[in-house]
Amino acid sequence: MSDTARAAAPLSPPPPVLSVGPVVLPSPGRAVDLQVRVSAPMAGDGLPVILLSHGLGFSNHLSSLNGYAPLALLWAAHGFVVIQPTHLDSRTLGLASDTPGAPPHWRSRAEDMTRIIDRLDALEAAVPPLAGRLDRSRIAVAGHSMGGHTASLLLGARLTDPHDGTEVDLADPRITAGVLLAAPGRGGDALTAFTMENYAFFLTTDFSTMTAPALVVAGDKDDSAFLTVRGPSWHADPYTLSPGPKSLLTLFGAEHGLGGISGYDAAETTDEDPERVTAVARLTQAYLRSALQPGDSAWQAAQDALAAGPEPLGRVESK
């Protein structure tokens, strides 16, 4: 274990976490009702909320409410309520390609998150141990890969709908901070022909309107060659092309899975590294804790731990 990981490692077992799913939120007008997983600490009140958007990996179940346990459970152990929807593009639903909004469900994904915030009372009622414990004034969004794109839209990024040419604004002001994990970058000539043909909405992504505070996490070996011609730097675009306040965490040696954040022992992870996953989970929760609670020192302490020792796992820059 490196000095960085040792400095960030917990000194005792984490507190117990409850995880309940699927919780079904009736959703008129949606192809199927919205299913979510809720993970939370067993104790504590006034808990901030993280909405976690899954990516579109090769596994059948990680891209759903059943994925991303390495992040969700640690975040919950550190005092967050983590809510994970199964978006309409999840393979677990088996929806036909002509389902309204597909392919892919870039708009419905963001709408899922807004729907969850609208239905927090119903969610508390469906999970009695949560009753009265959520702090609705502290809501963040996080997402990996395609989920990072979803998070960027909720934080203020915009695009032009390729079907009707209208500018789309899906920002939700109730979400006040976010984490973008291996998120897509800018469009235009940064995209491959495959992306232009199959993900035309990426062409017009505009980060200049993404004003909410966010941490962008990118691997310096994440070339995503089927999506972009720009290599790993593409995933830093949400940081470089958006206004502050923003921070960029660059992970050394990390590929698109960032060490395996989508699930324990996931076969699709090309850079499996449990130490890196732990670092991502702990650094992101520290960032969100400080972003949602002004004056909290967790993010600065986490940055200091990352920089300590001769072999840091990454570096942070901010603006």
Side-chain angles (χ1 to χ4, degrees):
M1 179 182 288
S2 71
D3 290 343
T4 300
R6 190 175 293 109
L11 300 178
S12 59
V17 167
L18 65 87
S19 187
V20 182
V23 177
V24 180
L25 297 176
S27 306
R30 195 174 184 268
V32 296
D33 286 337
L34 180 59
Q35 299 180 35
V36 305
R37 174 173 295 281
V38 182
S39 302
M42 293 289 289
D45 296 312
L47 303 174
V49 176
I50 303 175
L51 308 178
L52 175 55
S53 179
H54 64 73
L56 292 175
F58 298 110
S59 297
N60 288 321
H61 292 279
L62 294 181
S63 296
S64 75
L65 60 82
N66 293 315
Y68 295 87
L71 296 183
L73 297 182
L74 186 141
W75 289 345
H78 281 79
F80 292 91
V81 175
V82 184
I83 306 174
Q84 300 173 252
T86 294
H87 295 303
L88 290 176
D89 49 19
S90 172
R91 293 187 182 186
T92 63
L93 298 179
L95 297 178
S97 61
D98 60 354
T99 300
H105 295 271
W106 58 267
R107 185 189 292 269
S108 69
R109 282 171 147 267
E111 292 172 344
D112 286 345
M113 301 310 217
T114 295
R115 190 187 301 266
I116 290 170
I117 301 175
D118 290 342
R119 302 295 305 282
L120 286 177
D121 287 343
L123 191 147
E124 284 194 31
V127 187
L130 281 183
R133 300 176 61 203
L134 276 61
D135 183 349
R136 288 163 170 73
S137 70
R138 295 192 292 160
I139 300 176
V141 65
H144 174 233
S145 192
M146 182 63 184
H149 180 265
T150 302
S152 73
L153 293 177
L154 290 160
L155 293 168
R158 297 183 185 179
L159 56 78
T160 299
D161 189 323
H163 297 293
D164 61 20
T166 60
E167 184 181 55
V168 178
D169 179 2
L170 295 171
D172 192 317
R174 296 171 294 182
I175 297 172
T176 56
V179 172
L180 279 59
L181 301 149
R186 70 174 179 86
D189 60 5
L191 304 180
T192 62
F194 170 86
T195 307
M196 294 179 188
E197 179 179 352
N198 293 279
Y199 301 95
F201 62 92
F202 278 152
L203 278 164
T204 54
T205 301
D206 180 6
F207 294 112
S208 69
T209 54
M210 193 174 75
T211 57
L215 171 64
V216 177
V217 182
D220 68 359
K221 301 299 182 185
D222 181 8
D223 58 15
S224 298
F226 73 104
L227 291 174
T228 180
V229 298
R230 288 191 52 234
S233 65
W234 188 60
H235 295 287
D237 283 351
Y239 171 78
T240 57
L241 300 179
S242 66
K246 298 290 187 300
S247 291
L248 172 65
L249 168 61
T250 302
L251 295 168
F252 303 148
E255 299 177 16
H256 199 60
L258 303 178
I261 61 172
S262 64
Y264 299 112
D265 300 323
E268 66 192 49
T269 301
T270 57
D271 63 333
E272 186 173 27
D273 188 334
E275 184 178 324
R276 180 179 295 139
V277 172
T278 298
V280 170
R282 293 181 65 82
L283 285 158
T284 50
Q285 71 83 22
Y287 174 83
L288 289 175
R289 183 169 302 282
S290 295
L292 294 173
Q293 186 64 51
D296 187 288
S297 62
W299 176 230
Q300 185 58 57
Q303 292 180 79
D304 293 343
L306 179 68
E311 297 181 5
L313 297 177
R315 66 174 180 271
V316 173
E317 56 190 279
S318 299
K319 62 181 182 181

